[in-house]
Amino acid sequence: MAVGRSAASKIDWAKIGTSLGLKGQTASALAAFKKRNDDARRKVQLLSDAPQTVNFESYRSQLKNQGVIDEIESHFKSFKPATYDVSRQIKAIEAFEAQAVKNAEETKGLVDKELADLEKTLKNIEEARPFEDLTVDEVVAARPDIDERTTQLVSKGRWAVPGYKEKFGDLSVL
């Protein structure tokens, strides 16, 4: 048990959340688990610091009714603390831990995928030529829908792009 206490006291809770990049439900579940852990450790510390012996002789010297003291002393000596089966709680903790690890792995996978997409996008941006250097043929090759839309508008006799005047104004007065 001393090894468990030693290991539990060395956990850097803040570093766990930031190093794994935990967010959302996983981060809040970890925070709740930390709070329960801190509360349990605090209670264990308080109980272990409490005095565990009773000086019955001191009570005998102060009280007249010795029978009550003898009865209390006999109950005290015959007292056996109740033992509890904590296997159910341990299983619940292990299930929580497994779920937290699963959520963390899913989050890591999503973050890794998003990072790869962002790296790809950044590479495309860095390698892209300036807009001024592009030709019409290159724009059409990249976005064929622009050529189709332009062909459709020209075939209907429309030479102006819808919404252009509203956005940029009418330059015909110049």
Side-chain angles (χ1 to χ4, degrees):
M1 186 70 179
V3 173
R5 284 188 204 141
S6 173
S9 66
K10 293 181 183 178
I11 294 175
D12 185 1
W13 292 98
K15 189 175 181 182
I16 288 175
T18 56
S19 67
L20 296 178
L22 301 179
K23 294 180 181 173
Q25 181 184 8
T26 306
S28 62
L30 181 66
F33 181 75
K34 178 192 178 303
K35 182 181 182 305
R36 288 194 310 270
N37 180 25
D38 289 343
D39 291 344
R41 289 181 64 212
R42 193 174 305 110
K43 287 178 184 178
V44 167
Q45 184 65 31
L46 285 172
L47 291 174
S48 65
D49 290 345
Q52 299 180 7
T53 59
V54 178
N55 185 359
F56 290 104
E57 292 305 320
S58 170
Y59 290 109
R60 281 194 180 90
S61 66
Q62 295 174 5
L63 299 173
K64 295 179 184 178
N65 190 349
Q66 302 294 314
V68 171
I69 296 171
D70 292 337
E71 185 179 340
I72 292 173
E73 185 176 15
S74 68
H75 285 295
F76 181 77
K77 288 181 178 177
S78 66
F79 175 74
K80 299 274 190 268
T83 57
Y84 294 99
D85 182 22
V86 294
S87 62
R88 192 178 82 187
Q89 286 83 359
I90 290 173
K91 286 180 184 176
I93 290 171
E94 288 172 350
F96 171 79
E97 180 183 0
Q99 183 65 32
V101 168
K102 179 182 169 194
N103 287 344
E105 288 173 354
E106 288 175 4
T107 302
K108 182 184 180 297
L110 292 173
V111 167
D112 288 344
K113 181 181 176 188
E114 188 173 337
L115 279 174
D117 289 345
L118 289 173
E119 295 269 340
K120 183 179 174 185
T121 302
L122 181 61
K123 184 178 178 185
N124 284 343
I125 290 171
E126 290 173 346
E127 293 176 353
R129 291 191 330 207
F131 186 74
E132 303 86 41
D133 295 345
L134 293 178
T135 65
V136 173
D137 292 333
E138 291 171 336
V139 172
V140 169
R143 295 279 310 269
D145 60 310
I146 293 175
D147 190 39
E148 292 170 9
R149 178 75 174 140
T150 305
T151 305
Q152 180 186 27
L153 289 173
V154 169
S155 70
K156 292 181 179 179
R158 295 187 190 158
W159 298 97
V161 177
Y164 184 86
K165 286 185 179 181
E166 290 81 16
K167 187 170 184 179
F168 298 107
D170 191 4
L171 299 176
S172 62
V173 288
L174 294 177

